[in-house]
DNA sequence: CTGATGACGTGTG
DNA sequence: ACACACGCCATCA
């Protein structure tokens, strides 16, 4: 990335979130809570969602949903259907704003990245 | 510093 | 299964 504007005071936490989100394999999803736990702020999944508020390009925020597999953040995308469309494009199935087989496609950073 | 806010999570009825 | 309340903690006015 050429000119990344550093926001001082913040970014650190946000940066970590973005990194993890970018690492989510295609066709997989994770939850805010899982990321929060991975970053250490396990009790504050809200911070993760907040971080996504400024999600720069390149961050597949659509792969991040709440613990129920619900597309809670779809309203923050260009259009309400963007998130679901993107997910379906990656091979996931979404019904009523909820990911089907969520357990099968769930990608846990604390397990996939940290292990051992 | 204080209070409000937020793309969440968990417990309880 | 659904609805509601409380907790959590970083960021902003």
């Amino acid at each position: 990335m050429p000119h990344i504007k550093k926001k001082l005071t913040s970014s650190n936490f946000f940066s970590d979130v973005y990194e993890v989100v970018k690492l989510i394999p295609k066709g997989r999803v994770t939850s805010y809570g899982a990321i929060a736990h991975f970053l250490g702020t396990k009790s504050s999944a809200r911070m993760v969602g907040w971080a996504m508020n400024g999600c720069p390009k390149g961050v597949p925020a659509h792969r991040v949903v709440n613990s129920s597999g619900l597309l809670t953040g779809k309203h923050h995308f260009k259009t309400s259907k963007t998130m679901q469309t993107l997910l379906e494009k990656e091979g996931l199935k979404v019904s009523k704003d909820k990911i089907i087989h969520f357990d099968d496609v769930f990608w846990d950073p604390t397990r996939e990245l940290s292990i051992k």
Side-chain angles (χ1 to χ4, degrees):
Chain A
M1 325 298 277
H3 331 87
I4 299 180
K5 283 201 246 183
K6 296 205 166 169
K7 261 245 168 149
L8 306 171
T9 80
S10 46
S11 312
N12 234 325
F13 186 83
F14 286 30
S15 244
D16 285 344
V17 175
Y18 302 148
E19 276 183 67
V20 176
V21 175
K22 283 188 204 166
L23 288 172
I24 301 174
K26 184 183 169 217
R28 297 286 163 129
V29 294
T30 191
S31 69
Y32 302 94
I35 296 173
H37 193 273
F38 178 71
L39 296 180
T41 55
K42 55 183 189 196
S43 311
S44 304
R46 291 185 170 182
M47 307 301 90
V48 179
W50 233 320
M52 301 321 295
N53 206 330
C55 66
K57 281 174 161 190
V59 179
H62 59 279
R63 290 182 190 153
V64 185
V65 297
N66 72 346
S67 63
S68 304
L70 204 63
L71 313 190
T72 54
K74 69 175 203 166
H75 283 280
H76 290 260
F77 284 79
K78 198 166 190 272
T79 70
S80 303
K81 62 184 181 188
T82 304
M83 192 171 188
Q84 176 167 338
T85 301
L86 289 171
L87 287 172
E88 294 188 326
K89 234 158 100 175
E90 307 205 337
L92 296 177
K93 296 180 175 73
V94 181
S95 175
K96 305 282 197 278
D97 298 343
K98 181 168 143 277
I99 296 177
I100 308 298
H101 301 305
F102 178 57
D103 196 48
D104 288 340
V105 297
F106 181 66
W107 182 80
D108 188 347
T110 64
R111 187 168 63 171
E112 305 295 325
L113 298 180
S114 85
I115 279 211
K116 293 138 211 151

